[in-house]
Amino acid sequence: MTEMNNQETMLAEGAIFYIFGATGDLARRKLFPAIYSLYREDKLGKNFAVVGLARRPRTQEQFREDVRAAIDEFCRYDVQQDEDWNEFAKHFEYKPLDINNVDGFRELQQHSQQLEHEFHIPGNRLFYLALAPELFGAVSYNLRDGGLLDTKGWSRLVIEKPFGYDLESAKQLNEELRSVFNEDQIYRIDHYLGKEMVQNIEVIRFANAFFEPLWNNKHIANVQISLSETVGVEERGGYYDQAGALRDMAQNHMLQMLTMIAMEPPSRLHPEDIRDEKVKVLRSLRTYESDEEVVGNVVRGQYSAGSLKGKDLPGYREEDKVNPESTTETYLGARVYVDNFRWAGVPFYIRTGKRLPVKTTEVVVEFKSIPSRVYLSSKHNLEPNLLVIRVNPMEGIYVRINGKKPGSEGGVQPLAMDFCQSSIVGINTPEAYERLIFDAARGDSTYFTRWDEVSEAWAFVDRIAQAWKNTSEDLHFYPAGSWGPERANELLAEDGFHWWPVNGQEEDTVVWK
Ligand code: BG6
């Protein structure tokens, strides 16, 4: 939470939101619903326009109907009950655009001036590229050459991942963007940073007297970050087969969550100070020196045919647009070290996979056990204390402590002090995209990734990718619907630990509540 984030105010000045890729999936599922939610919460005010841009022809009416259907399907607010729909819809326009043709951008510039006049917008422009990254360069150049950046207000570029395929391609992409925009105009989305509970990590750590003193290698035994998904690759086989879990999830979401857990307190609650601390964590990640070290610390798996909730599922290699001999990983588990004074010697275990039994994202901080042979621990097998942050889809925090078993026989049992945010705030928790679009529009870049973070994350990931290129013998197959390769359990067992069950897993919380 930054000083800026405290001001949940309306976007006072107004802006034009240009959605490139307006007929695509992201716009439909996330962007239009997010803009509508912001509108319903009076955060957008009245001085805004949304221009949908894509290649295919669409009339204004068709486009507004598409937007309405998307909101109806994916938004947390009920559009059916909205009597003022037309009032909202009139802010939406569609323009067919060939992004390789600068003339279309020139027309867009002229049209933008009309819109700015009509909606009293002082020249602020937010360009959201919901497009394949190969197109970012062409769009940026044409925005400049078409005159769209010659405006009295601010202009900002919001881009989606993947930001490159490796460090080299990311650098090239960055150079293209930087030849048009300054770093502080570029907002690189990692939608995990928009999630309520990921943002909450900072608050939990720095606003509570009893965590920060223990938040180091003297008291923490290990940290586990699990991001499990039930879905396979759906219709994204073409993209995913090139990316795999390493590039799709670890390079961004997983490492970003890790930085939030591991970073030092920033000197001020300012976006740059927070990102300075995050990048230091990435710079402190221990690099695996050899291919053997990669194989010893990073587990990769691929799902084979299996079943989930009684439904038979194909293996990854049988999925649409996937190479039938693919060695792409759909599961990744890794032991990562942050080599700095605070964390020296503490393993961070991360795991993510597709076609696992439940959809959940959780962070577990396992504290060191109290000395054995002292008082109660000499008689009982005491379980370690845990702090669990549930990110998704359930949101909450719980602390697991040891307490007395009720009754006169004595004994100790683990108890959970449980705060369930989802049950309290319910469906009204803002979606990640709402927060991120709103933040970009008011110039708060805290929860966007800065170039140095992206490049450090790629450097770390490239070392793993390089080792994997040399051999695929360490690829483990796991049946769809299982918890991934056994090797991921061994990884923790080697250090005397085990994965804590996540929400929805069989053993979950039964004992603890
Ligand atoms: C995306 C990945 O970034 O995150 C997807 O490309 C993945 O493969 C998705 O399914 C998971 O996001 P969430 O918010 O549903 O956990």
PDB file of all heavy atoms in Angstrom, residues 91-119:
ATOM      1  N   HIS A  91     -19.789   6.261 -23.610  1.00  0.00           N
ATOM      2  CA  HIS A  91     -18.350   6.560 -23.515  1.00  0.00           C
ATOM      3  C   HIS A  91     -17.513   5.597 -24.359  1.00  0.00           C
ATOM      4  O   HIS A  91     -16.310   5.764 -24.444  1.00  0.00           O
ATOM      5  CB  HIS A  91     -17.874   6.456 -22.060  1.00  0.00           C
ATOM      6  CG  HIS A  91     -18.475   7.480 -21.152  1.00  0.00           C
ATOM      7  ND1 HIS A  91     -17.830   8.646 -20.800  1.00  0.00           N
ATOM      8  CD2 HIS A  91     -19.672   7.533 -20.527  1.00  0.00           C
ATOM      9  CE1 HIS A  91     -18.589   9.360 -20.001  1.00  0.00           C
ATOM     10  NE2 HIS A  91     -19.726   8.705 -19.813  1.00  0.00           N
ATOM     11  N   PHE A  92     -18.164   4.567 -24.928  1.00  0.00           N
ATOM     12  CA  PHE A  92     -17.420   3.539 -25.677  1.00  0.00           C
ATOM     13  C   PHE A  92     -17.516   3.746 -27.181  1.00  0.00           C
ATOM     14  O   PHE A  92     -18.596   3.969 -27.714  1.00  0.00           O
ATOM     15  CB  PHE A  92     -17.972   2.141 -25.346  1.00  0.00           C
ATOM     16  CG  PHE A  92     -17.423   1.606 -24.055  1.00  0.00           C
ATOM     17  CD1 PHE A  92     -17.814   2.154 -22.844  1.00  0.00           C
ATOM     18  CD2 PHE A  92     -16.509   0.560 -24.057  1.00  0.00           C
ATOM     19  CE1 PHE A  92     -17.301   1.676 -21.647  1.00  0.00           C
ATOM     20  CE2 PHE A  92     -15.993   0.074 -22.864  1.00  0.00           C
ATOM     21  CZ  PHE A  92     -16.387   0.631 -21.658  1.00  0.00           C
ATOM     22  N   GLU A  93     -16.390   3.642 -27.834  1.00  0.00           N
ATOM     23  CA  GLU A  93     -16.364   3.754 -29.293  1.00  0.00           C
ATOM     24  C   GLU A  93     -15.487   2.662 -29.855  1.00  0.00           C
ATOM     25  O   GLU A  93     -14.541   2.225 -29.202  1.00  0.00           O
ATOM     26  CB  GLU A  93     -15.727   5.076 -29.690  1.00  0.00           C
ATOM     27  CG  GLU A  93     -16.551   6.247 -29.329  1.00  0.00           C
ATOM     28  CD  GLU A  93     -16.660   7.212 -30.486  1.00  0.00           C
ATOM     29  OE1 GLU A  93     -15.923   7.037 -31.462  1.00  0.00           O
ATOM     30  OE2 GLU A  93     -17.484   8.126 -30.378  1.00  0.00           O
ATOM     31  N   TYR A  94     -15.770   2.280 -31.071  1.00  0.00           N
ATOM     32  CA  TYR A  94     -14.926   1.273 -31.716  1.00  0.00           C
ATOM     33  C   TYR A  94     -14.318   1.849 -32.983  1.00  0.00           C
ATOM     34  O   TYR A  94     -14.983   2.584 -33.712  1.00  0.00           O
ATOM     35  CB  TYR A  94     -15.752   0.033 -32.060  1.00  0.00           C
ATOM     36  CG  TYR A  94     -14.906  -1.057 -32.671  1.00  0.00           C
ATOM     37  CD1 TYR A  94     -14.123  -1.870 -31.869  1.00  0.00           C
ATOM     38  CD2 TYR A  94     -14.876  -1.254 -34.044  1.00  0.00           C
ATOM     39  CE1 TYR A  94     -13.309  -2.859 -32.425  1.00  0.00           C
ATOM     40  CE2 TYR A  94     -14.080  -2.245 -34.607  1.00  0.00           C
ATOM     41  CZ  TYR A  94     -13.301  -3.037 -33.791  1.00  0.00           C
ATOM     42  OH  TYR A  94     -12.494  -4.007 -34.337  1.00  0.00           O
ATOM     43  N   LYS A  95     -13.056   1.517 -33.236  1.00  0.00           N
ATOM     44  CA  LYS A  95     -12.402   1.949 -34.491  1.00  0.00           C
ATOM     45  C   LYS A  95     -11.624   0.780 -35.050  1.00  0.00           C
ATOM     46  O   LYS A  95     -10.729   0.255 -34.371  1.00  0.00           O
ATOM     47  CB  LYS A  95     -11.388   3.067 -34.201  1.00  0.00           C
ATOM     48  CG  LYS A  95     -11.990   4.401 -33.994  1.00  0.00           C
ATOM     49  CD  LYS A  95     -11.284   5.425 -34.907  1.00  0.00           C
ATOM     50  CE  LYS A  95     -12.186   6.595 -35.224  1.00  0.00           C
ATOM     51  NZ  LYS A  95     -12.928   6.477 -36.442  1.00  0.00           N
ATOM     52  N   PRO A  96     -11.936   0.344 -36.272  1.00  0.00           N
ATOM     53  CA  PRO A  96     -11.090  -0.689 -36.874  1.00  0.00           C
ATOM     54  C   PRO A  96      -9.723  -0.075 -37.180  1.00  0.00           C
ATOM     55  O   PRO A  96      -9.661   1.067 -37.630  1.00  0.00           O
ATOM     56  CB  PRO A  96     -11.817  -1.073 -38.161  1.00  0.00           C
ATOM     57  CG  PRO A  96     -13.015  -0.202 -38.248  1.00  0.00           C
ATOM     58  CD  PRO A  96     -13.011   0.791 -37.148  1.00  0.00           C
ATOM     59  N   LEU A  97      -8.670  -0.815 -36.901  1.00  0.00           N
ATOM     60  CA  LEU A  97      -7.331  -0.229 -37.078  1.00  0.00           C
ATOM     61  C   LEU A  97      -6.343  -1.297 -37.517  1.00  0.00           C
ATOM     62  O   LEU A  97      -6.277  -2.382 -36.930  1.00  0.00           O
ATOM     63  CB  LEU A  97      -6.863   0.368 -35.741  1.00  0.00           C
ATOM     64  CG  LEU A  97      -5.501   1.052 -35.753  1.00  0.00           C
ATOM     65  CD1 LEU A  97      -5.609   2.453 -36.349  1.00  0.00           C
ATOM     66  CD2 LEU A  97      -4.941   1.163 -34.340  1.00  0.00           C
ATOM     67  N   ASP A  98      -5.585  -0.962 -38.559  1.00  0.00           N
ATOM     68  CA  ASP A  98      -4.475  -1.818 -38.944  1.00  0.00           C
ATOM     69  C   ASP A  98      -3.247  -1.236 -38.246  1.00  0.00           C
ATOM     70  O   ASP A  98      -2.815  -0.130 -38.568  1.00  0.00           O
ATOM     71  CB  ASP A  98      -4.328  -1.771 -40.474  1.00  0.00           C
ATOM     72  CG  ASP A  98      -3.047  -2.445 -40.942  1.00  0.00           C
ATOM     73  OD1 ASP A  98      -2.312  -2.978 -40.082  1.00  0.00           O
ATOM     74  OD2 ASP A  98      -2.789  -2.430 -42.159  1.00  0.00           O
ATOM     75  N   ILE A  99      -2.685  -1.981 -37.323  1.00  0.00           N
ATOM     76  CA  ILE A  99      -1.653  -1.349 -36.489  1.00  0.00           C
ATOM     77  C   ILE A  99      -0.346  -1.111 -37.224  1.00  0.00           C
ATOM     78  O   ILE A  99       0.539  -0.444 -36.721  1.00  0.00           O
ATOM     79  CB  ILE A  99      -1.382  -2.145 -35.201  1.00  0.00           C
ATOM     80  CG1 ILE A  99      -1.031  -3.568 -35.531  1.00  0.00           C
ATOM     81  CG2 ILE A  99      -2.517  -2.044 -34.243  1.00  0.00           C
ATOM     82  CD1 ILE A  99      -0.650  -4.325 -34.305  1.00  0.00           C
ATOM     83  N   ASN A 100      -0.249  -1.646 -38.450  1.00  0.00           N
ATOM     84  CA  ASN A 100       0.975  -1.387 -39.212  1.00  0.00           C
ATOM     85  C   ASN A 100       0.838  -0.173 -40.125  1.00  0.00           C
ATOM     86  O   ASN A 100       1.778   0.180 -40.823  1.00  0.00           O
ATOM     87  CB  ASN A 100       1.320  -2.612 -40.066  1.00  0.00           C
ATOM     88  CG  ASN A 100       1.718  -3.751 -39.158  1.00  0.00           C
ATOM     89  OD1 ASN A 100       2.560  -3.569 -38.283  1.00  0.00           O
ATOM     90  ND2 ASN A 100       1.087  -4.899 -39.316  1.00  0.00           N
ATOM     91  N   ASN A 101      -0.313   0.446 -40.114  1.00  0.00           N
ATOM     92  CA  ASN A 101      -0.536   1.566 -41.011  1.00  0.00           C
ATOM     93  C   ASN A 101      -0.703   2.872 -40.221  1.00  0.00           C
ATOM     94  O   ASN A 101      -1.690   3.070 -39.518  1.00  0.00           O
ATOM     95  CB  ASN A 101      -1.791   1.270 -41.849  1.00  0.00           C
ATOM     96  CG  ASN A 101      -2.052   2.365 -42.849  1.00  0.00           C
ATOM     97  OD1 ASN A 101      -1.362   3.388 -42.877  1.00  0.00           O
ATOM     98  ND2 ASN A 101      -3.064   2.146 -43.680  1.00  0.00           N
ATOM     99  N   VAL A 102       0.259   3.743 -40.397  1.00  0.00           N
ATOM    100  CA  VAL A 102       0.279   4.968 -39.583  1.00  0.00           C
ATOM    101  C   VAL A 102      -0.909   5.888 -39.892  1.00  0.00           C
ATOM    102  O   VAL A 102      -1.343   6.670 -39.033  1.00  0.00           O
ATOM    103  CB  VAL A 102       1.639   5.700 -39.736  1.00  0.00           C
ATOM    104  CG1 VAL A 102       1.794   6.289 -41.119  1.00  0.00           C
ATOM    105  CG2 VAL A 102       1.825   6.752 -38.671  1.00  0.00           C
ATOM    106  N   ASP A 103      -1.466   5.783 -41.090  1.00  0.00           N
ATOM    107  CA  ASP A 103      -2.596   6.659 -41.428  1.00  0.00           C
ATOM    108  C   ASP A 103      -3.772   6.466 -40.472  1.00  0.00           C
ATOM    109  O   ASP A 103      -4.435   7.424 -40.075  1.00  0.00           O
ATOM    110  CB  ASP A 103      -3.071   6.391 -42.866  1.00  0.00           C
ATOM    111  CG  ASP A 103      -2.019   6.834 -43.868  1.00  0.00           C
ATOM    112  OD1 ASP A 103      -1.167   7.667 -43.480  1.00  0.00           O
ATOM    113  OD2 ASP A 103      -2.026   6.320 -44.999  1.00  0.00           O
ATOM    114  N   GLY A 104      -4.008   5.213 -40.121  1.00  0.00           N
ATOM    115  CA  GLY A 104      -5.085   4.929 -39.175  1.00  0.00           C
ATOM    116  C   GLY A 104      -4.832   5.625 -37.839  1.00  0.00           C
ATOM    117  O   GLY A 104      -5.750   6.106 -37.172  1.00  0.00           O
ATOM    118  N   PHE A 105      -3.584   5.705 -37.444  1.00  0.00           N
ATOM    119  CA  PHE A 105      -3.235   6.364 -36.181  1.00  0.00           C
ATOM    120  C   PHE A 105      -3.446   7.876 -36.295  1.00  0.00           C
ATOM    121  O   PHE A 105      -3.848   8.523 -35.328  1.00  0.00           O
ATOM    122  CB  PHE A 105      -1.786   6.050 -35.807  1.00  0.00           C
ATOM    123  CG  PHE A 105      -1.594   4.641 -35.292  1.00  0.00           C
ATOM    124  CD1 PHE A 105      -1.562   3.557 -36.158  1.00  0.00           C
ATOM    125  CD2 PHE A 105      -1.478   4.399 -33.931  1.00  0.00           C
ATOM    126  CE1 PHE A 105      -1.398   2.262 -35.698  1.00  0.00           C
ATOM    127  CE2 PHE A 105      -1.315   3.102 -33.454  1.00  0.00           C
ATOM    128  CZ  PHE A 105      -1.273   2.028 -34.338  1.00  0.00           C
ATOM    129  N   ARG A 106      -3.172   8.387 -37.488  1.00  0.00           N
ATOM    130  CA  ARG A 106      -3.398   9.844 -37.673  1.00  0.00           C
ATOM    131  C   ARG A 106      -4.885  10.166 -37.517  1.00  0.00           C
ATOM    132  O   ARG A 106      -5.255  11.135 -36.859  1.00  0.00           O
ATOM    133  CB  ARG A 106      -2.902  10.294 -39.049  1.00  0.00           C
ATOM    134  CG  ARG A 106      -1.398  10.197 -39.139  1.00  0.00           C
ATOM    135  CD  ARG A 106      -0.812  11.078 -40.226  1.00  0.00           C
ATOM    136  NE  ARG A 106       0.626  10.918 -40.222  1.00  0.00           N
ATOM    137  CZ  ARG A 106       1.320  10.161 -41.088  1.00  0.00           C
ATOM    138  NH1 ARG A 106       0.706   9.536 -42.077  1.00  0.00           N
ATOM    139  NH2 ARG A 106       2.626  10.048 -40.968  1.00  0.00           N
ATOM    140  N   GLU A 107      -5.705   9.302 -38.124  1.00  0.00           N
ATOM    141  CA  GLU A 107      -7.166   9.508 -37.976  1.00  0.00           C
ATOM    142  C   GLU A 107      -7.572   9.405 -36.515  1.00  0.00           C
ATOM    143  O   GLU A 107      -8.399  10.154 -36.019  1.00  0.00           O
ATOM    144  CB  GLU A 107      -7.931   8.444 -38.765  1.00  0.00           C
ATOM    145  CG  GLU A 107      -8.029   8.726 -40.234  1.00  0.00           C
ATOM    146  CD  GLU A 107      -8.526   7.498 -40.996  1.00  0.00           C
ATOM    147  OE1 GLU A 107      -9.341   6.729 -40.436  1.00  0.00           O
ATOM    148  OE2 GLU A 107      -8.062   7.309 -42.138  1.00  0.00           O
ATOM    149  N   LEU A 108      -6.949   8.439 -35.858  1.00  0.00           N
ATOM    150  CA  LEU A 108      -7.268   8.236 -34.439  1.00  0.00           C
ATOM    151  C   LEU A 108      -6.910   9.480 -33.623  1.00  0.00           C
ATOM    152  O   LEU A 108      -7.641   9.873 -32.707  1.00  0.00           O
ATOM    153  CB  LEU A 108      -6.485   7.014 -33.924  1.00  0.00           C
ATOM    154  CG  LEU A 108      -6.790   6.515 -32.525  1.00  0.00           C
ATOM    155  CD1 LEU A 108      -8.255   6.124 -32.387  1.00  0.00           C
ATOM    156  CD2 LEU A 108      -5.909   5.294 -32.196  1.00  0.00           C
ATOM    157  N   GLN A 109      -5.821  10.096 -33.993  1.00  0.00           N
ATOM    158  CA  GLN A 109      -5.403  11.316 -33.299  1.00  0.00           C
ATOM    159  C   GLN A 109      -6.464  12.399 -33.461  1.00  0.00           C
ATOM    160  O   GLN A 109      -6.875  13.042 -32.497  1.00  0.00           O
ATOM    161  CB  GLN A 109      -4.026  11.759 -33.823  1.00  0.00           C
ATOM    162  CG  GLN A 109      -3.702  13.224 -33.640  1.00  0.00           C
ATOM    163  CD  GLN A 109      -3.529  13.605 -32.160  1.00  0.00           C
ATOM    164  OE1 GLN A 109      -3.782  12.803 -31.262  1.00  0.00           O
ATOM    165  NE2 GLN A 109      -3.166  14.851 -31.920  1.00  0.00           N
ATOM    166  N   GLN A 110      -6.953  12.554 -34.687  1.00  0.00           N
ATOM    167  CA  GLN A 110      -7.976  13.588 -34.909  1.00  0.00           C
ATOM    168  C   GLN A 110      -9.236  13.265 -34.141  1.00  0.00           C
ATOM    169  O   GLN A 110      -9.838  14.113 -33.494  1.00  0.00           O
ATOM    170  CB  GLN A 110      -8.294  13.685 -36.398  1.00  0.00           C
ATOM    171  CG  GLN A 110      -7.238  14.496 -37.100  1.00  0.00           C
ATOM    172  CD  GLN A 110      -7.389  14.434 -38.605  1.00  0.00           C
ATOM    173  OE1 GLN A 110      -8.364  13.889 -39.123  1.00  0.00           O
ATOM    174  NE2 GLN A 110      -6.419  14.989 -39.296  1.00  0.00           N
ATOM    175  N   HIS A 111      -9.592  11.988 -34.206  1.00  0.00           N
ATOM    176  CA  HIS A 111     -10.806  11.584 -33.507  1.00  0.00           C
ATOM    177  C   HIS A 111     -10.661  11.766 -31.990  1.00  0.00           C
ATOM    178  O   HIS A 111     -11.611  12.151 -31.302  1.00  0.00           O
ATOM    179  CB  HIS A 111     -11.129  10.131 -33.849  1.00  0.00           C
ATOM    180  CG  HIS A 111     -12.453   9.715 -33.340  1.00  0.00           C
ATOM    181  ND1 HIS A 111     -13.629  10.279 -33.780  1.00  0.00           N
ATOM    182  CD2 HIS A 111     -12.796   8.828 -32.381  1.00  0.00           C
ATOM    183  CE1 HIS A 111     -14.636   9.758 -33.129  1.00  0.00           C
ATOM    184  NE2 HIS A 111     -14.163   8.864 -32.263  1.00  0.00           N
ATOM    185  N   SER A 112      -9.474  11.530 -31.505  1.00  0.00           N
ATOM    186  CA  SER A 112      -9.232  11.671 -30.059  1.00  0.00           C
ATOM    187  C   SER A 112      -9.499  13.103 -29.611  1.00  0.00           C
ATOM    188  O   SER A 112     -10.048  13.343 -28.535  1.00  0.00           O
ATOM    189  CB  SER A 112      -7.786  11.316 -29.714  1.00  0.00           C
ATOM    190  OG  SER A 112      -7.526   9.993 -30.092  1.00  0.00           O
ATOM    191  N   GLN A 113      -9.080  14.042 -30.460  1.00  0.00           N
ATOM    192  CA  GLN A 113      -9.305  15.445 -30.081  1.00  0.00           C
ATOM    193  C   GLN A 113     -10.790  15.746 -29.955  1.00  0.00           C
ATOM    194  O   GLN A 113     -11.217  16.451 -29.050  1.00  0.00           O
ATOM    195  CB  GLN A 113      -8.626  16.357 -31.097  1.00  0.00           C
ATOM    196  CG  GLN A 113      -7.118  16.293 -30.923  1.00  0.00           C
ATOM    197  CD  GLN A 113      -6.358  16.952 -32.058  1.00  0.00           C
ATOM    198  OE1 GLN A 113      -6.895  17.150 -33.159  1.00  0.00           O
ATOM    199  NE2 GLN A 113      -5.103  17.271 -31.821  1.00  0.00           N
ATOM    200  N   GLN A 114     -11.563  15.146 -30.862  1.00  0.00           N
ATOM    201  CA  GLN A 114     -13.033  15.339 -30.753  1.00  0.00           C
ATOM    202  C   GLN A 114     -13.560  14.746 -29.446  1.00  0.00           C
ATOM    203  O   GLN A 114     -14.352  15.357 -28.746  1.00  0.00           O
ATOM    204  CB  GLN A 114     -13.746  14.627 -31.894  1.00  0.00           C
ATOM    205  CG  GLN A 114     -13.630  15.341 -33.224  1.00  0.00           C
ATOM    206  CD  GLN A 114     -14.077  14.413 -34.355  1.00  0.00           C
ATOM    207  OE1 GLN A 114     -14.860  13.497 -34.145  1.00  0.00           O
ATOM    208  NE2 GLN A 114     -13.562  14.643 -35.544  1.00  0.00           N
ATOM    209  N   LEU A 115     -13.065  13.539 -29.159  1.00  0.00           N
ATOM    210  CA  LEU A 115     -13.543  12.891 -27.924  1.00  0.00           C
ATOM    211  C   LEU A 115     -13.158  13.706 -26.691  1.00  0.00           C
ATOM    212  O   LEU A 115     -13.933  13.845 -25.744  1.00  0.00           O
ATOM    213  CB  LEU A 115     -12.945  11.488 -27.791  1.00  0.00           C
ATOM    214  CG  LEU A 115     -13.516  10.403 -28.686  1.00  0.00           C
ATOM    215  CD1 LEU A 115     -12.744   9.102 -28.510  1.00  0.00           C
ATOM    216  CD2 LEU A 115     -14.997  10.175 -28.379  1.00  0.00           C
ATOM    217  N   GLU A 116     -11.953  14.241 -26.726  1.00  0.00           N
ATOM    218  CA  GLU A 116     -11.484  15.032 -25.583  1.00  0.00           C
ATOM    219  C   GLU A 116     -12.346  16.271 -25.393  1.00  0.00           C
ATOM    220  O   GLU A 116     -12.656  16.666 -24.269  1.00  0.00           O
ATOM    221  CB  GLU A 116     -10.002  15.383 -25.769  1.00  0.00           C
ATOM    222  CG  GLU A 116      -9.166  14.153 -25.455  1.00  0.00           C
ATOM    223  CD  GLU A 116      -7.717  14.202 -25.899  1.00  0.00           C
ATOM    224  OE1 GLU A 116      -7.324  15.135 -26.609  1.00  0.00           O
ATOM    225  OE2 GLU A 116      -6.988  13.276 -25.536  1.00  0.00           O
ATOM    226  N   HIS A 117     -12.764  16.818 -26.516  1.00  0.00           N
ATOM    227  CA  HIS A 117     -13.625  17.993 -26.453  1.00  0.00           C
ATOM    228  C   HIS A 117     -15.002  17.581 -25.886  1.00  0.00           C
ATOM    229  O   HIS A 117     -15.512  18.177 -24.946  1.00  0.00           O
ATOM    230  CB  HIS A 117     -13.744  18.574 -27.864  1.00  0.00           C
ATOM    231  CG  HIS A 117     -14.587  19.786 -27.899  1.00  0.00           C
ATOM    232  ND1 HIS A 117     -14.170  20.987 -27.372  1.00  0.00           N
ATOM    233  CD2 HIS A 117     -15.852  19.972 -28.374  1.00  0.00           C
ATOM    234  CE1 HIS A 117     -15.129  21.867 -27.521  1.00  0.00           C
ATOM    235  NE2 HIS A 117     -16.163  21.297 -28.118  1.00  0.00           N
ATOM    236  N   GLU A 118     -15.516  16.493 -26.459  1.00  0.00           N
ATOM    237  CA  GLU A 118     -16.872  16.056 -26.074  1.00  0.00           C
ATOM    238  C   GLU A 118     -16.966  15.683 -24.591  1.00  0.00           C
ATOM    239  O   GLU A 118     -17.919  16.020 -23.903  1.00  0.00           O
ATOM    240  CB  GLU A 118     -17.250  14.847 -26.943  1.00  0.00           C
ATOM    241  CG  GLU A 118     -18.639  14.316 -26.693  1.00  0.00           C
ATOM    242  CD  GLU A 118     -18.935  13.095 -27.578  1.00  0.00           C
ATOM    243  OE1 GLU A 118     -18.218  12.859 -28.573  1.00  0.00           O
ATOM    244  OE2 GLU A 118     -19.898  12.376 -27.226  1.00  0.00           O
ATOM    245  N   PHE A 119     -15.922  14.974 -24.085  1.00  0.00           N
ATOM    246  CA  PHE A 119     -16.000  14.495 -22.695  1.00  0.00           C
ATOM    247  C   PHE A 119     -15.156  15.328 -21.716  1.00  0.00           C
ATOM    248  O   PHE A 119     -14.912  14.901 -20.592  1.00  0.00           O
ATOM    249  CB  PHE A 119     -15.590  13.020 -22.625  1.00  0.00           C
ATOM    250  CG  PHE A 119     -16.574  12.090 -23.284  1.00  0.00           C
ATOM    251  CD1 PHE A 119     -16.298  11.511 -24.511  1.00  0.00           C
ATOM    252  CD2 PHE A 119     -17.791  11.810 -22.674  1.00  0.00           C
ATOM    253  CE1 PHE A 119     -17.215  10.653 -25.124  1.00  0.00           C
ATOM    254  CE2 PHE A 119     -18.716  10.957 -23.283  1.00  0.00           C
ATOM    255  CZ  PHE A 119     -18.430  10.384 -24.499  1.00  0.00           C
TER     256      PHE A 119
END
